[in-house]
Amino acid sequence: PYYQRAFREHNAILAKIAKEEGVPFYDHQSEMPVDTTYWSDGRHVNVKGAKMKGELWAEFLLNNHLIKEQQE
């Protein structure tokens, strides 16, 4: 519970700073599943969680035109 509270506080501070500075902010916590399938201990992702986390971040970066999709 302490970590979850701290993560929420941390995200709120970062979101506020991003808004003030006019820079993109990705609220990963709001999209990352809480299902234990993706977590090794509730704070750290496991292999399956790392894949999901990478996919979510990539989607955010692409959708917000922060990186270009590479052609193979």
Side-chain angles (χ1 to χ4, degrees), residues 11-65:
N11 281 349
I13 291 167
L14 291 176
K16 181 178 184 275
I17 292 169
K19 185 176 181 179
E20 289 170 357
E21 297 295 322
V23 296
F25 172 74
Y26 175 48
D27 184 6
H28 176 257
Q29 182 184 8
S30 70
E31 293 190 332
M32 185 67 185
V34 295
D35 184 329
T36 56
T37 303
Y38 300 100
W39 299 92
S40 61
D41 62 6
R43 293 177 291 182
H44 301 96
V45 293
N46 58 23
V47 171
K48 192 172 183 178
K51 184 176 187 295
M52 169 68 73
K53 185 176 182 178
E55 290 170 354
L56 290 170
W57 271 99
E59 183 178 329
F60 171 78
L61 294 171
L62 288 169
N63 289 344
N64 288 278
H65 310 288

